[in-house]
Structures are given as C-alpha cells and as structure tokens.
Amino acid sequence: MKIKKIHFIGIGGIGMSSLAFFLAKKYLLSGSDIGSSPIINKLKKSGVNIDIGHSVKNINNQDLVIYSSAINKSNVELVEAKKRKITSISRGMALGEFTKNKKNICITGTHGKSTSTSFISQILINSGRNINAFLGAIDRKLKTNFIYGKSNTNVIEADESDNSFNYLKPDISLITNIDYDHMDFYSSKEKLFKAFQSFIEKTNKCVVINLDCKNIQKNLKKLNSKKITTFGYKNKKCDYYFVDNVYGSLELYHKNKKMGEILTSLEGLHNHYNLIGAIIVCIKLGISFKKINKSLNKILTPKRRFENIFKSKHFEIYDDYAHHPSAISSLREMLNKSKDISKNYLVFQPHRYTRFKESYSDFIKEICQWENVIVTDVYSAHEDKKLKISSKQFVKQVLNKKKINIQYINEFDKIIDKMYRIFQKNKNKTKLITVGAGDINKIGYRLKDKIKENKNYAR
C-alpha cells in the first residue's frame, strides 16, 4: 500500500506527537485531540492540520490512521476509519513500522527512560553525531520532544507500558530498571518479565542493563552473555561500575580499571544511574569516553524532572513527574542527601486509578516517610472511575499508619492559597515539590505567578 495521507487520533500525546513530527517531513498529516497544547500549536506551525475534538468528519480519504493507546475502541474517528476500511494501527506499531530499517537505539525501563533517552541524545549531538530522537519528555534546552537530524540513526524512548516496545527493532538497547507497574495491562509479573525478555532477544547487538535492579537479577537470568553489558553502583561484578568520591564527582570503571572521573551537577543516585547508562550506550556507539566527558557539563534533565519553577531566598518550587512509589522514594532520598536544611512540602497527585490501586500499600509506606503532605484527587488519564478508591480515604489510612502533617485538598486553588500563606508567614527555608504524571505542575506555575504579584517576594 502506498501511503500519502496519515491521520493521528490523539496527536497531542508525547509519543504520538514525536512520531507526527518525524512523519510530517515525508507525509501529509492530519490529526485530532480533545484539547490544544503547546505541542499541538507547534505541529500546526509545521504544517499539520489538527482539529480540536473528535468527529467522523475528520476521517475522509486518508491512507492510514494511527491512534494513541489512550483512545477507546469506541472512538468515533476510529470506528469511522474501520467502517471505511482504512488501515488503523496503534502508535507503537506505527513507530516500529516506520523505523524498522533504521539503526535504532532504544531505551526502556519503568523509571528513568525519558531522562536516559534525553542524556543519550544530548551526548551524541554534543559529540557531533547526527540523530533523530523520539523523547518521552520535553527537552529543556531544545524545548521539544523530537529532534530531527535527517539521519539513519534513531534514539527512541521505548514504551513498555502496553508492550509496544516489542514492535521496535533495536540495534542497541538500554534497560534502566524493572518495577511492578502497568499491571492492569500485563495482569501478572510473569507476563511483564516475559515482555522484557522478548525485548532483549529482539535487540540485535548489545543490551545495556542496570544489574543493581533486583527484579532484573531475579527474573532475567537466562541472558545471552555475549549480548549483555551490565553496570551498577559500586558493583564490581558488573562490566562497568561507578562510585562517588569525596569531591562530589563520579568515577567510572570498566573491568575494574578506572576509565576516568565524571564531573556532573546532577543530584540523586537515580540520575547517576541514568547518566552512567547513557554514557555506556554512547561508548558502545563508538564515542570515546574522553569526548563524552567533555560534553557532560552541558547535560540537562528534561522538563518535569525535579524542575525548578521558582526560587527566592526562603522559598522554592519544584515539579517532578514521579508517579510511582519507587520514583517518589528516589526523590526523597535525593532531598535527604542534600546539605541544605529546608522544610519540604509534598503535593501528591495519584496518576491513574489502576496504578493507585496496584501500589496502594507501597504509596502509603512512602508517603509516611514525608513530614508535610497534601494529597489531591486522582488524575484519571482517561480511565473510567469505576474503582472504589479515593485520595480522601488514602489520607485517612496514612494517618492510621503514622501521624504526619497530611491533608486531602481537592481543589488546586485551595492548595495554592495554603502554600501562598506559608510563603508569606514562614521565615525558614521551604521547598514545595509537586509530584505526579498528570496536571499537578499547574500548581507550581500558578503559585509562582501569585508570588510575583507581590513585588517584595525576593526576601
């Protein structure tokens, strides 16, 4: 089938839009979504015709329809496309199809894949390599989730959430870690690990794996040793390992031989794992450690990765994409390790009812480790609200476990007002950290605007 016209249902999603940017160079694209966004506006400027709202009128004479995993089977556009016998495929399947003859570097894992994908892309570009990059988050420097380089080499964030990463054909891959997430899709741990095993087997040349991950150690034992390259923290059993020294830098070792010192401003062990994994992938791609090291001082984490939104003498606002107990735990450990003494307020927005239910007890255990917490309503992410689970009840169960300063507030405006009063009255250093994969970051930006209306905010 000769393809000229392609329609995207749910084009504004982070994965859908990166694929649309890629295909817009070659095909005539149209798309639809339930609302506008900066990404959609950028796609429009690149020549993509996008309608806000789904309608049968958006489906006419396209050759192919690509739909987001968030799109329901009963979506009017998808139903109309099938009625007209237009080939309709998921985003994951389409990404695999349009990149199958390319040199693909694929990054997956429960946590850190967006950051690792961004790091690899930045290192390669800073080292003079020409690449296309499909990012799972907005690059803070380039302000985009897709980098177009007219290249045969693709750096791809590989989505494990619905097994779509197994549509890809990786040349080199990186697995950051494996945690119990998206179990509503996989239904069992065995199926989850089988999917990762399949991803490893499909990788052509080399798989770089974080061997410190306990789930990888326990469940991915039957690995082709010739294909696998392992790394870890102070783990001398690995092919590569790293340590932190007294000067605050990292040292990288290969086969117990020191390769060199890495100067980085990145905080947190989770970010160090992401950085080391990215460095090893780039070494596998033929970039010298010396050349890689020269570019590391320019490395930035993507947006929504402990992103600073506001900073004054006594008050700071940060936003983080953390939406799983392990990710929130990594954030807490990073804050505890930092030398500055501040009072931390966590604003937690659970993401998806299924995830909240799956990891409910682990969320309780983690939230109990924080002193000051506000919990707001679950961000459904298009899920039906059928599960009998609520943020209000969650707060009660946390308090049954441990008496911390925690409350349920369902309205963003009320949270902003509360934190603004704390900003006005508190003379001690305070950090507000919003966490979640939904729209919780709106709180930080709106609070910032409210503070800046006060001319004397920089106390």
Side-chain angles (χ1 to χ4, degrees), residues 403-418:
K403 301 302 177 186
I404 63 170
N405 179 27
I406 184 171
Q407 66 181 126
Y408 162 71
I409 304 178
N410 64 337
E411 294 177 28
F412 283 9
D413 285 342
K414 290 181 180 179
I415 298 172
I416 291 165
D417 289 343
K418 177 182 174 67

Side-chain angles (χ1 to χ4, degrees), residues 83-120:
K83 186 179 177 182
R84 289 172 175 257
K85 296 183 179 179
I86 299 172
T87 302
S88 303
I89 60 175
S90 68
R91 191 229 31 131
M93 192 180 294
L95 180 62
E97 185 63 29
F98 285 106
T99 61
K100 64 182 180 182
N101 297 319
K102 309 289 185 181
K103 183 178 181 181
N104 297 323
I105 298 100
C106 299
I107 300 90
T108 195
T110 311
H111 314 294
K113 56 182 174 290
S114 293
T115 302
S116 300
T117 306
S118 181
F119 286 172
I120 290 168

Side-chain angles (χ1 to χ4, degrees), residues 24 42 158 170 272 356 362 436:
K42 193 170 182 179
H272 295 162
F356 198 26
D362 288 331

Side-chain angles (χ1 to χ4, degrees), residues 44 62 94 112 124 158 175 201 206 248 264 291 315 348 387 389 448:
K44 284 181 176 179
Q62 293 97 343
L124 291 174
I175 300 177
E201 289 166 2
C206 173
T264 176
K291 198 169 188 178
F315 195 84
F348 169 48
L387 299 177
I389 193 166
K448 174 186 175 181

Side-chain angles (χ1 to χ4, degrees), residues 2 102 181 195 316 333 355 365 369 394 397 404 426:
K2 193 172 183 181
K102 309 289 185 181
D181 201 8
E316 298 174 12
E333 289 170 4
R355 177 183 288 113
K365 287 176 187 176
Q369 304 306 310
F394 174 77
Q397 295 197 23
I404 63 170
N426 195 358

Side-chain angles (χ1 to χ4, degrees), residues 303-349:
K303 287 185 74 65
R304 302 209 64 196
R305 271 61 182 179
F306 201 63
E307 180 184 2
N308 178 244
I309 292 172
F310 174 83
K311 193 171 187 177
S312 69
K313 188 177 179 181
H314 294 292
F315 195 84
E316 298 174 12
I317 303 172
Y318 293 88
D319 175 61
D320 198 276
Y321 196 70
H323 53 281
H324 187 278
S326 299
I328 299 173
S329 175
S330 294
L331 195 61
R332 175 174 51 82
E333 289 170 4
M334 181 186 75
L335 289 165
N336 290 343
K337 199 174 180 181
S338 64
K339 293 179 182 179
D340 70 318
I341 299 171
S342 61
K343 193 172 185 178
N344 298 323
Y345 283 83
L346 183 79
V347 180
F348 169 48
Q349 181 188 49

Side-chain angles (χ1 to χ4, degrees), residues 92-340:
M93 192 180 294
L95 180 62
E97 185 63 29
F98 285 106
T99 61
K100 64 182 180 182
N101 297 319
K102 309 289 185 181
K103 183 178 181 181
N104 297 323
I105 298 100
C106 299
I107 300 90
T108 195
T110 311
H111 314 294
K113 56 182 174 290
S114 293
T115 302
S116 300
T117 306
S118 181
F119 286 172
I120 290 168
S121 302
Q122 291 178 65
I123 293 169
L124 291 174
I125 291 168
N126 293 339
S127 301
R129 290 290 181 93
N130 197 337
I131 61 165
N132 300 309
F134 298 80
L135 308 174
I138 302 297
D139 183 282
R140 277 202 284 158
K141 191 182 290 182
L142 300 173
K143 301 188 188 319
T144 183
N145 60 324
F146 177 72
I147 299 166
Y148 185 68
K150 297 181 181 179
S151 174
N152 196 47
T153 300
N154 297 318
V155 179
I156 302 172
E157 175 169 336
D159 184 10
E160 89 293 352
S161 67
D162 58 357
N163 199 30
S164 61
F165 64 162
N166 273 313
Y167 289 120
L168 298 168
K169 293 186 177 179
D171 210 46
I172 295 174
S173 59
L174 166 65
I175 300 177
T176 58
N177 46 62
I178 304 175
D179 211 338
Y180 302 131
D181 201 8
H182 309 293
M183 298 309 291
D184 55 315
F185 174 82
Y186 286 104
S187 74
S188 72
K189 294 175 184 178
E190 289 75 22
K191 288 180 181 178
L192 172 69
F193 296 120
K194 188 177 180 181
F196 274 94
Q197 189 75 49
S198 179
F199 178 76
I200 290 169
E201 289 166 2
K202 287 180 179 178
T203 300
N204 185 29
K205 291 182 181 177
C206 173
V207 185
V208 179
I209 289 179
N210 172 10
L211 199 61
D212 286 349
C213 173
K214 291 179 181 178
N215 280 328
I216 289 177
Q217 291 175 13
K218 290 178 183 177
N219 298 285
L220 299 182
K221 292 178 180 178
K222 296 177 181 178
L223 300 173
N224 182 345
S225 58
K226 292 179 182 178
K227 191 190 286 187
I228 301 296
T229 295
T230 59
F231 72 97
Y233 174 60
K234 296 182 179 179
N235 189 345
K236 294 183 179 180
K237 294 180 181 179
C238 295
D239 300 308
Y240 291 84
Y241 70 91
F242 67 100
V243 300
D244 38 15
N245 60 32
V246 292
Y247 306 106
S249 59
L250 304 175
E251 293 175 357
L252 182 61
Y253 291 80
H254 180 225
K255 302 293 184 184
N256 292 320
K257 184 179 179 181
K258 185 176 176 179
M259 294 186 71
E261 191 173 334
I262 299 166
L263 298 173
T264 176
S265 59
L266 293 169
E267 293 183 78
L269 185 59
H270 61 296
N271 274 326
H272 295 162
Y273 275 115
N274 296 334
L275 181 63
I276 297 301
I279 289 170
I280 295 167
V281 168
C282 291
I283 289 171
K284 294 292 180 182
L285 288 166
I287 313 268
S288 70
F289 176 75
K290 187 177 180 181
K291 198 169 188 178
I292 291 168
N293 215 4
K294 281 182 180 179
S295 73
L296 295 183
N297 61 337
K298 301 173 186 176
I299 290 286
L300 292 174
T301 54
K303 287 185 74 65
R304 302 209 64 196
R305 271 61 182 179
F306 201 63
E307 180 184 2
N308 178 244
I309 292 172
F310 174 83
K311 193 171 187 177
S312 69
K313 188 177 179 181
H314 294 292
F315 195 84
E316 298 174 12
I317 303 172
Y318 293 88
D319 175 61
D320 198 276
Y321 196 70
H323 53 281
H324 187 278
S326 299
I328 299 173
S329 175
S330 294
L331 195 61
R332 175 174 51 82
E333 289 170 4
M334 181 186 75
L335 289 165
N336 290 343
K337 199 174 180 181
S338 64
K339 293 179 182 179
D340 70 318

